[in-house]
Amino acid sequence: MSATSPLEVREKTQTGLPPSQNVQRQLRQSAGHASYASRLLAFAALSACFLGSLSASSPPDAALRADGFSRNVSNCPGYILSGLHETASGLSARLDLAGSACDAFGTDIANLTITVAYETPTRLHVSIVDAAANQFRLPAEFFPRPTGDKITESESGLAFDFESSPFAFWVTRKSTGDILFDTRLSSLPAAPTEALDGSALDGFQLVFEDQYLQLTSALPLDANIFGFGEAVATSGFRRDIAENGTIQTMWARNAPTPENGNTYGAHPVYLEHRINASMNSSATHAVFLSSSAGADIVLTTPPGATQSLVQYRMLGGVLDLYFFAGPTPVATVEQYGAVVGLPTWVPYWAFGFHLCRWGYTDLDDVRAQVENMRDADLPLEVMWNDIDLYHARRDFTTDPVSFPAEEVRAFIQELASNDQHYVPILDAAIGHTANASDDYLPFLTGRDRDVYIKNPDDSLFLGQVWPGYTVWPDWFAENVEGWWAESIANWSALGVEFSGLWLDMDEPTSFCNGSCGTGADLSNTSAPVIFPGEPGNPVIAWPEGYNADIWGLSGNISINGSLTFGADTPVPVVAPPPPLVPDPGDPPYPIHNGFGGLGVKTVAINATHAGGILDLDVHNAFGYMQERATHLALLEVRPDERPFLISRSTFAGSGHWTGHWLGDNFSKWHFMRYVIQGVLQFQLYQIPMVGSDACGFYGNTDEELCNRWMSLAAFVPFFRNHNERGAISQEPYRWDSVATATRAATAVRYALLPYWYTLFADAATKGTPPLRALFFEFPDEAELLSVDQQLLVGPSVLVVPVTTPNVSTIDAVLPGRGNVIWRDWYTHMEVIADRTQNTVELNAPLGHIPVLVRSGMALLLHAQPAYTTTATRAGPFALLVVLDASGTATGHAYIDDGVSPPDSVSVIVNRTLAFDVSGATLRISSDGAYDIPQKLANVTVLGVHEAPKDVRVTGEGRAAFTYEADLQRLNMTGLALSLNEDMLVSWG
């Protein structure tokens, strides 16, 4: 749910602190963060113009130099390397400022240390830090990175080289000689030049100041860059580096899916894919900057340049870089996961269908949705509640009138008796008590245990969210995890016996800017915004494309046989980001935060955490820290169950604790198209459990859009329908055609659940991405790099959703250039593409989503999809084998109880199955301690060219079968084979 509907928010007082405290930000100090003084003294003034002032030819106005900062990097001297100490596994050295300080946006740090470590054959770690260790670094306690990994330089697939004066470095792939990252001035475009927003790129030396760091690397011209998120990019999954360029700002904010702007999460990692067409080869690598600092990351190609570039502009911190050699896209993503943490294990039930909306008025309304879904025979696995559940919109409560706690308990237990589940919302902000008689226990116990973010004067930092005035947990505080786990346990004991939790508003979001002030009227607990659907904020717009002046007031998808949809909203034209003016107290370099000042609609940057940590330094990691604490709390409250979380704000490594939904989108066609690039992005970020609000959150959806969106949503990991308060209802039973489409797509999804589950087991154990862009599996095919309206579920299943209105066919790109056989999931017929374009027109009438299966694959399936995942699991298995041209296929499956968390060594009792087909023989290998009670009932083999005379099963003798020559399909039915032992199935 959104922190703010698209409506005007009442602004509050900027600050309740004395000016001197706002400017100097006197902090509590600790041994762990002993010196922030150099940073604090520099925040007294602000820039009044953007990067144009960087240009040497346009010196900044003298008035802007009162703080002593030139805002001009053209004369920054760079650094000189000395004191080199080399070992077999890396090096360390000093970096000393090479000349007079330029003090562009902060105070230059004269002495740095660089360490280079060859950690694995595919990972190189380069760290540049201040010698005095005053700059903020991510605490290893909360952000663990691999330690102790060490190989020799000769064992590495990457090579690190450098120039001493001025210092620059480059990283090379040894096998090809390709330079992957290159900061040498000789490799970069000549300066000054111009960036995409008209500002100057006038200096590429290393800049390392207390509140501004800059590092620039050359890239191949119009490089294939993916990542740098969270982003809703009009250019698609592949980032724009040449046509308009990209400025990706790393500053988490509650902005509902803004096109080409910063939004909920921050992921400073990119993947680059290079194709050598002449050699018919390719290679992928990735670069990760392990930092939570606010930043602009610039991808651009200067006019006339023969190369592109990436430039990091950071508001402090250090340069802690990891380089991953790949060389395949999948391997590269796995290597990144080994550094930030592999994805969490997901319970089996989480792959079912989830239903929610903001605006279910009471428990009877929620219960009616469950009944209506069952009456319509629409599988419902998980029922959710938004803040309607709360009393006075406060965390850890239930409304005593509309959601009485004991009735909520009974409802949840009723769901559980039907193998269904319940997930409530849990917001990041904790309501402040209104007066001395207000006994809101979560706030009071948190205050007594000193677990909240503070002002610089050590008073509680106040914001405003749904409950009125609020505080925020300080996830670095000593007692916070115990208090948070206790609050969650008490809520469950109250009656909210949840199966998982939904973390929202965790950017964190506030409805006032910075501190709400010391003079706040705490007795005012009214919501600081007008809810959608209330007087003053109606949701009355017609669905996109519907013209009521032509078609009247019905809103129907067709009238008298004519389609009523006109045209969907065009994708916005990319415009250069405007010059920004930071708020007083912001760092002098103004990153392109879409709200302007860094404290707008969030916690102030001078708010402080335990140990004197500035919120400026950890703002981007607030969501991660809450996810971590909540995951650990759920393990404490329910030690025998896997935690299930879905969160809005994410950071590098969040997937180890949570899943993610793509935030508050709009009921428009082009926002459905953004879903595919969104879920593909989060595979890169090691947060594979991701999905969208199907049918759209904001505004009124329509039947056709909801029909197509529900079909698509069944093929992304997190499958949820959710919309805003006051909009028309969009549960899938509301329209017959949407119900039909949802049943059909969900039946495919539930049949594929063993495959989905195996993909997520691979993610949890190896970091393998469950969803894949087409080029991930076919990396040498350059024509696939821009395809982001199709996706692969694992290596085997190609999904071609319809994402435009008024069509009944769709053109599909078939990867493999004719060397792969693709078969229709539904009919098993071979789908043949045009040999020159590798495309084919597929029938896609309303309610049908094309799904193709790749040859050479063996997929374990559920033979009888049922109403819930539990009922589906209880039925038998089926095996689908699609032979390639040589008559072979392989596959594997992972099976466990679907609930148990890993033990202390990340082990779950399980069984793994391997399928190998060749020479008209299927070999099934079974290994593990988990006992699979369900039998294998059916085996279907596609691509069998001749009818066999018989089918034999080891230990079982002959098996019944049929053969269909037109489909080359061999059907073995009536089997009852145990998957707990090895076996052979042969035909001939």
Side-chain angles (χ1 to χ4, degrees):
M1 181 181 59
S2 174
T4 59
S5 295
L7 51 89
E8 196 65 31
V9 176
R10 297 201 303 269
E11 299 294 344
K12 298 297 177 182
T13 306
Q14 167 66 22
T15 179
L17 301 174
S20 62
Q21 290 180 340
N22 275 322
V23 172
Q24 297 180 10
R25 295 183 295 172
Q26 301 297 321
L27 302 180
R28 295 169 291 143
Q29 299 294 312
S30 75
H33 300 276
S35 176
Y36 281 88
S38 62
R39 299 197 61 195
L40 303 179
L41 295 176
F43 276 57
L46 64 143
S47 172
C49 62
F50 183 52
L51 295 176
S53 64
L54 286 172
S55 173
S57 60
S58 302
D61 187 277
L64 299 178
R65 300 185 185 183
D67 56 9
F69 304 132
S70 69
R71 295 169 177 78
N72 185 341
V73 300
S74 63
N75 62 352
C76 289
Y79 287 81
I80 296 174
L81 184 144
S82 64
L84 178 65
H85 174 69
E86 294 186 275
T87 69
S89 59
L91 61 86
S92 62
R94 288 173 51 97
L95 295 175
D96 298 308
L97 204 61
S100 299
C102 67
D103 293 341
F105 296 99
T107 301
D108 283 78
I109 297 177
N111 307 117
L112 310 176
T113 299
I114 180 172
T115 57
V116 176
Y118 294 98
E119 295 186 342
T120 74
T122 57
R123 185 173 77 233
L124 173 68
H125 186 191
V126 178
S127 183
I128 302 174
V129 304
D130 58 312
N134 290 331
Q135 295 288 100
F136 179 79
R137 308 180 200 187
L138 291 172
E141 174 187 358
F142 303 106
F143 304 89
R145 302 289 182 253
T147 58
D149 292 343
K150 185 167 62 174
I151 60 169
T152 64
E153 188 275 339
S154 62
E155 296 173 301
S156 175
L158 299 173
F160 177 90
D161 292 289
F162 65 90
E163 293 175 344
S164 296
S165 181
F167 170 73
F169 72 91
W170 62 101
V171 176
T172 306
R173 185 188 301 279
K174 289 181 180 178
S175 61
T176 63
D178 289 339
I179 297 176
L180 309 184
F181 197 86
D182 191 351
T183 71
R184 291 173 292 182
L185 299 183
S186 59
S187 301
L188 289 159
T193 186
E194 191 174 271
L196 65 159
D197 59 353
S199 65
L201 290 164
D202 55 359
F204 298 131
Q205 298 276 23
L206 170 64
V207 179
F208 202 117
E209 300 174 342
D210 57 354
Q211 54 193 331
Y212 183 73
L213 278 64
Q214 181 175 298
L215 182 71
T216 312
S217 171
L219 293 171
L221 187 66
D222 197 14
N224 301 308
I225 301 293
F226 305 85
F228 283 145
E230 181 175 2
V232 181
T234 55
S235 61
F237 181 43
R238 180 180 180 270
R239 304 312 302 268
D240 184 354
I241 194 171
E243 183 175 355
N244 295 290
T246 296
I247 291 181
Q248 185 62 52
T249 297
M250 299 292 165
W251 191 256
R253 69 174 178 132
N254 171 24
T257 50
E259 286 136 323
N260 307 310
N262 60 307
T263 184
Y264 309 112
H267 295 274
V269 59
Y270 74 88
L271 178 150
E272 184 191 342
H273 186 67
R274 299 184 184 181
I275 295 179
N276 187 327
S278 63
M279 299 294 292
N280 194 32
S281 64
S282 62
T284 307
H285 68 277
V287 181
F288 168 49
L289 174 60
S290 182
S291 171
S292 59
D296 279 341
I297 300 177
V298 180
L299 292 168
T300 191
T301 305
T306 58
Q307 66 276 92
S308 301
L309 62 84
V310 55
Q311 184 173 83
Y312 298 86
R313 303 168 178 173
M314 303 166 56
L315 302 182
V318 299
L319 294 170
D320 194 19
L321 293 158
Y322 290 85
F323 299 90
F324 307 101
T328 67
V330 169
T332 306
V333 174
E334 291 173 340
Q335 291 155 19
Y336 173 65
V339 168
V340 300
L342 299 179
T344 184
W345 285 91
V346 178
Y348 208 93
W349 58 262
F351 293 100
F353 173 66
H354 304 243
L355 181 62
C356 184
R357 85 164 295 171
W358 181 21
Y360 288 140
T361 56
D362 55 31
L363 191 58
D364 288 341
D365 194 359
V366 177
R367 184 177 282 109
Q369 307 312 315
V370 178
E371 295 170 353
N372 292 342
M373 290 290 288
R374 188 172 290 275
D375 289 344
D377 194 27
L378 286 162
L380 173 62
E381 188 78 12
V382 191
M383 195 68 216
W384 292 49
N385 266 130
D386 211 311
I387 62 170
D388 315 285
L389 171 71
Y390 289 161
H391 177 49
R393 301 169 303 282
R394 288 176 168 179
D395 281 356
F396 307 118
T397 66
T398 66
D399 187 277
V401 176
S402 54
F403 290 89
E406 285 306 314
E407 292 186 26
V408 170
R409 186 196 310 277
F411 169 68
I412 295 172
Q413 290 177 352
E414 180 183 335
L415 287 175
S417 69
N418 293 318
D419 298 321
Q420 294 171 299
H421 301 266
Y422 180 78
V423 172
I425 196 168
L426 185 57
D427 281 340
I430 303 297
H432 195 292
T433 52
N435 50 51
S437 62
D438 186 351
D439 60 353
Y440 178 45
L441 191 62
F443 168 78
L444 295 173
T445 56
R447 182 194 60 188
D448 293 345
R449 298 180 195 180
D450 193 23
V451 301
Y452 297 133
I453 296 174
K454 302 289 185 65
N455 286 307
D457 66 356
D458 211 41
S459 62
L460 291 182
F461 181 90
L462 291 183
Q464 270 196 326
V465 195
W466 305 119
Y469 291 99
T470 59
V471 294
W472 280 272
D474 171 11
W475 304 111
F476 297 92
E478 180 179 358
N479 299 316
V480 70
E481 291 178 15
W483 162 78
W484 190 245
E486 179 183 297
S487 299
I488 290 173
N490 290 342
W491 198 28
S492 181
L494 175 71
V496 186
E497 298 175 353
F498 50 79
S499 295
L501 292 173
W502 171 20
L503 303 182
D504 196 11
M505 315 288 279
D506 51 353
E507 290 71 33
T509 288
S510 179
F511 295 148
C512 63
N513 299 338
S515 170
C516 285
T518 55
D521 177 11
L522 297 177
S523 66
N524 179 8
T525 59
S526 62
V529 299
I530 304 173
F531 283 6
E534 294 292 319
N537 188 26
V539 184
I540 57 174
W542 287 99
E544 178 190 24
Y546 185 86
N547 189 330
D549 293 335
I550 297 174
W551 297 109
L553 304 181
S554 76
N556 290 340
I557 189 173
S558 64
I559 296 176
N560 297 325
S562 297
L563 295 175
T564 59
F565 192 94
D568 54 335
T569 305
V571 175
V573 175
V574 177
L580 298 177
V581 179
D583 283 353
D586 277 6
Y589 176 80
I591 62 174
H592 283 75
N593 179 31
F595 288 153
L598 300 183
V600 174
K601 300 182 182 179
T602 190
V603 169
I605 61 173
N606 68 342
T608 61
H609 302 254
I613 300 174
L614 287 172
D615 197 74
L616 171 69
D617 290 318
V618 293
H619 170 84
N620 284 333
F622 184 96
Y624 170 97
M625 292 294 289
Q626 183 184 22
E627 293 144 14
R628 177 184 177 276
T630 308
H631 185 107
L632 295 174
L634 291 184
L635 282 174
E636 184 175 328
V637 173
R638 308 268 175 82
D640 296 327
E641 297 180 18
R642 294 176 202 174
F644 174 72
L645 300 175
I646 293 293
S647 181
R648 192 167 71 181
S649 184
T650 58
F651 179 65
S654 281
H656 191 64
W657 312 109
T658 186
H660 171 66
W661 98 102
L662 295 172
D664 300 330
N665 54 13
F666 292 82
S667 297
K668 297 181 183 294
W669 285 90
H670 71 280
F671 277 89
M672 181 172 68
R673 293 192 280 273
Y674 288 143
V675 169
I676 301 174
Q677 64 161 278
V679 296
L680 290 176
Q681 274 186 58
F682 277 85
Q683 308 306 300
L684 305 184
Y685 308 148
Q686 289 288 348
I687 309 176
M689 190 62 182
V690 60
S692 71
D693 284 346
C695 303
F697 177 78
Y698 281 126
N700 292 312
T701 194
D702 69 76
E703 182 179 357
E704 183 183 12
L705 175 62
C706 199
N707 186 306
R708 295 299 194 185
W709 206 325
M710 286 297 294
S711 297
L712 166 61
F715 292 92
V716 301
F718 178 49
F719 183 18
R720 184 180 76 163
N721 180 311
H722 176 227
N723 70 323
E724 75 169 321
R725 197 175 186 273
I728 66 171
S729 298
Q730 63 185 39
E731 294 87 1
Y733 63 80
R734 299 286 179 176
W735 298 274
D736 288 344
S737 78
V738 176
T740 299
T742 303
R743 284 189 214 99
T746 305
V748 180
R749 179 186 180 90
Y750 281 26
L752 282 166
L753 282 178
Y755 179 62
W756 276 106
Y757 196 68
T758 299
L759 293 172
F760 271 76
D762 290 343
T765 54
K766 298 181 293 185
T768 309
L771 293 188
R772 300 170 198 180
L774 272 56
F775 80 89
F776 271 41
E777 285 295 313
F778 302 88
D780 300 339
E781 300 178 19
E783 64 271 20
L784 302 180
L785 293 171
S786 61
V787 177
D788 59 9
Q789 291 303 293
Q790 300 176 201
L791 72 160
L792 283 161
V793 180
S796 307
V797 178
L798 178 63
V799 183
V800 189
V802 175
T803 58
T804 55
N806 295 344
V807 300
S808 58
T809 63
I810 186 168
D811 291 332
V813 177
L814 298 191
R817 294 177 175 172
N819 297 315
V820 172
I821 301 168
W822 294 96
R823 290 184 178 266
D824 184 279
W825 163 271
Y826 307 94
T827 68
H828 292 170
M829 291 182 64
E830 186 175 345
V831 179
I832 301 174
D834 177 273
R835 294 298 184 184
T836 58
Q837 300 296 321
N838 296 315
T839 60
V840 63
E841 184 180 76
L842 300 176
N843 287 325
L846 192 64
H848 175 75
I849 181 169
V851 179
L852 308 180
V853 185
R854 178 181 177 180
S855 62
M857 301 293 172
L859 304 179
L860 187 68
L861 310 172
H862 286 310
Q864 299 169 1
Y867 193 76
T868 64
T869 61
T870 299
T872 300
R873 275 196 85 171
F877 287 105
L879 185 67
L880 176 64
V881 177
V882 187
L883 299 177
D884 61 17
S886 62
T888 65
T890 60
H892 70 287
Y894 171 95
I895 302 174
D896 62 23
D897 65 10
V899 177
S900 298
D903 62 20
S904 58
V905 291
S906 297
V907 172
I908 299 173
V909 176
N910 69 84
R911 183 167 294 275
T912 57
L913 307 172
F915 310 107
D916 184 83
V917 183
S918 62
T921 300
L922 163 66
R923 297 167 180 83
I924 302 178
S925 302
S926 180
D927 182 61
Y930 180 75
D931 182 73
I932 304 174
Q934 300 84 3
K935 304 298 184 181
L936 179 62
N938 306 313
V939 177
T940 301
V941 185
L942 305 178
V944 178
H945 296 292
E946 296 181 358
K949 296 179 180 179
D950 65 4
V951 173
R952 294 181 177 272
V953 180
T954 301
E956 302 287 335
R958 287 186 171 88
F961 72 94
T962 60
Y963 178 75
E964 298 163 272
D966 57 336
L967 297 175
Q968 300 177 337
R969 180 165 65 191
L970 172 62
N971 304 295
M972 306 171 218
T973 58
L975 306 174
L977 305 180
S978 172
L979 291 172
N980 296 309
E981 55 192 44
D982 298 348
M983 72 181 72
L984 296 178
V985 179
S986 59
W987 55 93

